[in-house]
Amino acid sequence: MSLTRILCALTFALLLGAGGAQAQSNQASLELVEPLAEYKLYVAEHTASLVEDTKEFVGAIKDGDVEKAKSLFAPTRRNYEKIEPIAELFADLDVSMDSRADDYEKGEADPNFGGFHRIEYVLWEKNTTEGLDKYADKLLADVIELDSRVSELTFPPEIVVGGAAVLMEEVAATKISGEEDRYSRTDLWDFEANFDGSRKIFELFKPLIDDEAFIAKVESNFADVYEVLADYQTEDGGFVSYEKLTDMDRRVLSAKVNTLAEELSTLRGRLGLG
């Protein structure tokens, strides 16, 4: 065994920790070691960035700077959206950080409604930061906790690989309606982050797939999705309000995302993960 593969094997053991027995029962291939290790680094980088971005976002809220807080909302969320399949493994944190008003009996009036979308609601609908300090503090505490948990997490291969399709499916099934960022209309920022996260998984595991036609098709369809998004980009690297998209625009985007989701849903099987 080469030194590289020995190091990969050691990395795999560290990643799995107590989950080693489960990995053996699933007969996880040694070939999965390197992309899993690289993906864990990718996630760790984004959770670390999420912590720093959230600190700045919370700082703007506490300073009472509504416009700055608004400008930081979408960029801060991008790091979360890129790693959503892993973030969602921590259900308590996901609910605390990313739930919507619909999840609460009293909607926006429910004091338990918190996280990104409570802050989004107040910033855009109320145009103020008043009353947000406690929600901002809780969001930052949750983000820091997420970063800590990720460093100790066993990354299940089937969850990681399946995440490529999950990210696309969530966009096509629910997010395309505009229900997530309903106050700020910054949905396209989230979409791009979801696409980036999905493509990262595909790129890491692509060398293990021997179907060149499939690879070419997926790459072409990713290019199509990004081409559609490019039509709505602004000069500063952001995106126009989601309200500017017509029903036809949304249908076109949805169709392309659905096509990708269907293709990526076969990744687990192609890699022997069921």
Side-chain angles (χ1 to χ4, degrees):
M1 182 182 290
S2 70
L3 178 59
T4 299
R5 293 180 74 82
I6 290 173
L7 290 173
C8 284
L10 290 172
T11 302
F12 190 54
L14 289 171
L15 283 173
L16 295 184
Q22 180 182 355
Q24 288 180 352
S25 68
N26 292 334
Q27 297 182 334
S29 170
L30 186 61
E31 291 181 327
L32 297 175
V33 172
E34 188 172 353
L36 281 172
E38 289 186 28
Y39 185 68
K40 182 160 188 174
L41 288 174
Y42 172 81
V43 172
E45 288 171 359
H46 284 289
T47 56
S49 294
L50 179 61
V51 170
E52 295 308 309
D53 290 350
T54 304
K55 286 179 180 177
E56 186 178 5
F57 180 49
V58 168
I61 291 169
K62 293 199 162 190
D63 287 343
D65 192 335
V66 174
E67 293 309 312
K68 182 176 181 180
K70 285 181 177 180
S71 73
L72 293 173
F73 174 77
T76 299
R77 279 181 56 78
R78 290 176 83 166
N79 287 302
Y80 187 83
E81 294 291 328
K82 286 181 180 182
I83 62 164
E84 201 165 14
I86 298 301
E88 288 179 345
L89 292 176
F90 307 109
D92 59 329
L93 294 178
D94 185 54
V95 168
S96 182
M97 288 189 283
D98 204 36
S99 59
R100 264 73 103 192
D102 304 345
D103 299 320
Y104 299 87
E105 183 179 356
K106 298 179 181 178
E108 288 91 350
D110 198 313
N112 293 315
F113 170 41
F116 277 113
H117 297 298
R118 156 67 73 173
I119 295 171
E120 177 197 10
Y121 166 68
V122 174
L123 288 177
W124 269 270
E125 296 298 310
K126 305 294 186 181
N127 198 39
T128 184
T129 61
E130 187 176 347
L132 283 180
D133 280 12
K134 67 177 182 179
Y135 295 108
D137 286 340
K138 182 64 167 68
L139 177 64
L140 180 56
D142 287 341
V143 165
I144 291 172
E145 177 64 14
L146 175 65
D147 185 48
S148 175
R149 290 192 198 179
V150 161
S151 67
E152 301 172 356
L153 177 67
T154 295
F155 274 42
E158 66 278 7
I159 296 296
V160 173
V161 174
V166 167
L167 282 164
M168 307 302 286
E169 289 165 357
E170 286 190 358
V171 173
T174 59
K175 295 181 179 180
I176 203 76
S177 69
E179 60 91 17
E180 182 154 18
D181 298 322
R182 65 188 67 172
Y183 316 111
S184 63
R185 314 314 298 160
T186 55
D187 305 78
L188 292 173
W189 292 74
D190 284 8
F191 291 1
E192 183 187 50
N194 288 157
F195 300 159
D196 287 350
S198 179
R199 185 172 63 174
K200 181 64 175 182
I201 294 169
F202 173 71
E203 291 294 333
L204 287 175
F205 290 91
K206 180 175 69 174
L208 306 183
I209 300 171
D210 57 10
D211 187 338
E212 293 299 328
F214 170 76
I215 291 173
K217 187 176 182 182
V218 172
E219 289 178 336
S220 176
N221 285 324
F222 263 121
D224 287 345
V225 166
Y226 280 107
E227 184 176 357
V228 171
L229 275 184
D231 290 338
Y232 310 113
Q233 282 189 308
T234 55
E235 292 183 358
D236 62 0
F239 291 93
V240 300
S241 169
Y242 197 54
E243 291 179 332
K244 294 192 177 296
L245 274 69
T246 65
D247 288 342
M248 178 58 72
D249 291 334
R250 296 186 190 193
R251 284 196 292 271
V252 169
L253 183 58
S254 179
K256 292 185 180 298
V257 172
N258 268 312
T259 297
L260 257 177
E262 290 173 5
E263 292 166 350
L264 294 171
S265 69
T266 70
L267 275 181
R268 285 173 53 173
R270 291 173 183 274
L271 294 171
L273 295 171

